[in-house]
Amino acid sequence: MTARIEVHGLGKQFGGRTAVEGLSFAVQSGEVYGLLGPNGAGKTTTVRILAGLLRPTTGTARVCDHGLGDGEALRRSVGLLTEQPGLYDRLTGRENLRFFIRLNELDEGPAWQRAEGYLRRFDLLGREDEPCGSYSKGMRQKLAIVRALVHEPEVLFLDEPTSGLDPEAARTVRDAVAELAADGRTIILCSHNLAEVERLCGRVAVVRTRLLAEGPISVLRHRGSVLEVRVEGEGEAAAASLEPLGLDWTTQGALVRVTLQHEQQGPDVLAALVHAGVRVRSAAPTSRSLEDVYLELVRDAAAEEET
């Protein structure tokens, strides 16, 4: 596979504040790549740099064989959906899209045909002549996605693409993202919806200004294992007996989920529970969720910054 995005040591400072520091990663053609992190972690800054809207302080990157200094050539190769749609409320959906078509100096006939196809897919056809100020949040989000696609970009940057959408519309967007990737488009997805990320992405990068972890989700989920123990009574009371082991755990009713640093700790967990008089109904190892791994990485990074 060919890398359509290559990032090397990317950094950005605003005055004395570091927004991004030393990021390096590559995204292959046709890949949906997750860029994850808490608010203020540098995700949006990174995307704006790669879309040619900001200059980096340090580092280099190439997107669709364009350098970051290639200006219009770079910007025409990418589509960008920001968290705020940025539509003109007094203009209709049609007028918003045609303004964007002209701004990008596209052939208006074919471009509008493509736009109509996406409007139909997102259930907006027939609403395109209404002012955007009258649209619901979900409708505005879908129109912004159409705008990001209408010039047929090779690379798409999607920031919270299903934000504000009802479940049916969110599924339509997810299906469209998967189809676009299957057609060979390269997509960077920024999202706090980790279940959505697991559905769409093969690899992710977790950032908090700097890169905390990067790789296939299946590999990241094996950063430690989880022992699921079902007990009699409330799991919260049972799990208190695990505190001397220094392990992280969560409970849900009678279920206790214990994060192990290595598999050999499993018998220690069961022994501690039995020693405390807890009746164990079942115990089984399971893989960690992406959410578990993400929260651990972000928490550890925050603790490191405080020391």
Side-chain angles (χ1 to χ4, degrees), residues 92-113:
T92 66
R94 184 192 301 271
E95 290 167 340
N96 267 279
L97 291 176
R98 284 194 160 154
F99 175 74
F100 184 78
I101 287 168
R102 293 177 186 135
L103 191 67
N104 282 270
E105 300 179 348
L106 304 175
D107 188 330
E108 191 162 343
W112 182 250
Q113 284 185 342

Side-chain angles (χ1 to χ4, degrees), residues 1-4 27-31:
M1 297 177 68
T2 304
R4 302 309 287 148
V27 186
Q28 308 302 314
S29 177
E31 183 176 12

Side-chain angles (χ1 to χ4, degrees), residues 83-140:
E83 194 168 0
Q84 299 298 324
L87 301 169
Y88 295 99
D89 285 350
R90 294 185 180 182
L91 300 183
T92 66
R94 184 192 301 271
E95 290 167 340
N96 267 279
L97 291 176
R98 284 194 160 154
F99 175 74
F100 184 78
I101 287 168
R102 293 177 186 135
L103 191 67
N104 282 270
E105 300 179 348
L106 304 175
D107 188 330
E108 191 162 343
W112 182 250
Q113 284 185 342
R114 288 194 298 272
E116 281 189 321
Y118 288 120
L119 289 171
R120 183 178 296 107
R121 180 173 183 83
F122 293 128
D123 199 29
L124 289 174
L125 201 61
R127 308 292 299 272
E128 66 271 23
D129 291 318
E130 299 175 16
C132 284
S134 69
Y135 283 13
S136 68
K137 182 178 180 182
M139 290 173 64
R140 293 169 64 85

Side-chain angles (χ1 to χ4, degrees), residues 93-281:
R94 184 192 301 271
E95 290 167 340
N96 267 279
L97 291 176
R98 284 194 160 154
F99 175 74
F100 184 78
I101 287 168
R102 293 177 186 135
L103 191 67
N104 282 270
E105 300 179 348
L106 304 175
D107 188 330
E108 191 162 343
W112 182 250
Q113 284 185 342
R114 288 194 298 272
E116 281 189 321
Y118 288 120
L119 289 171
R120 183 178 296 107
R121 180 173 183 83
F122 293 128
D123 199 29
L124 289 174
L125 201 61
R127 308 292 299 272
E128 66 271 23
D129 291 318
E130 299 175 16
C132 284
S134 69
Y135 283 13
S136 68
K137 182 178 180 182
M139 290 173 64
R140 293 169 64 85
Q141 187 78 345
K142 289 190 284 187
L143 186 68
I145 293 171
V146 175
R147 184 186 61 187
L149 291 170
V150 73
H151 63 300
E152 295 286 84
E154 293 181 60
V155 167
L156 275 171
F157 299 104
L158 303 178
D159 193 350
E160 302 291 346
T162 59
S163 175
L165 302 187
D166 59 65
E168 183 178 2
R171 173 173 284 186
T172 298
V173 171
R174 287 195 298 268
D175 289 346
V177 170
E179 289 178 17
L180 289 165
D183 288 341
R185 283 190 177 85
T186 304
I187 299 168
I188 285 189
L189 173 66
C190 300
S191 178
H192 291 125
N193 185 337
L194 299 184
E196 181 172 272
V197 170
E198 288 201 76
R199 288 192 194 102
L200 291 172
C201 302
R203 294 191 304 133
V204 298
V206 182
V207 301
R208 185 182 168 96
T209 305
R210 57 186 175 84
L211 187 66
L212 304 181
E214 193 266 354
I217 291 176
S218 59
V219 174
L220 293 180
R221 287 176 63 182
H222 282 86
R223 293 171 62 98
S225 58
V226 171
L227 182 67
E228 288 192 347
V229 184
R230 193 166 295 276
V231 301
E232 282 191 2
E234 284 297 316
E236 186 73 27
S241 62
L242 302 178
E243 289 184 1
L245 299 179
L247 299 176
D248 291 332
W249 46 265
T250 61
T251 63
Q252 183 178 2
L255 182 66
V256 181
R257 300 182 79 249
V258 186
T259 301
L260 308 179
Q261 295 163 353
H262 48 79
E263 292 182 0
Q264 290 79 1
Q265 290 176 318
D268 296 336
V269 169
L270 298 178
L273 291 171
V274 171
H275 182 73
V278 177
R279 291 178 62 86
V280 176
R281 289 185 173 274

Side-chain angles (χ1 to χ4, degrees), residues 3-8 50 60-68 70 74:
R4 302 309 287 148
I5 302 172
E6 297 178 273
V7 179
H8 303 285
L50 297 180
T60 61
R62 293 192 67 79
V63 179
C64 301
D65 297 323
H66 297 296
L68 296 179
D70 287 352
L74 169 60

Side-chain angles (χ1 to χ4, degrees), residues 21 32 48-49 105 124-125 131 176 232 265 300 304:
E21 181 180 9
V32 184
R48 289 175 67 83
I49 290 172
E105 300 179 348
L124 289 174
L125 201 61
E232 282 191 2
Q265 290 176 318
D300 289 350
E304 183 180 325

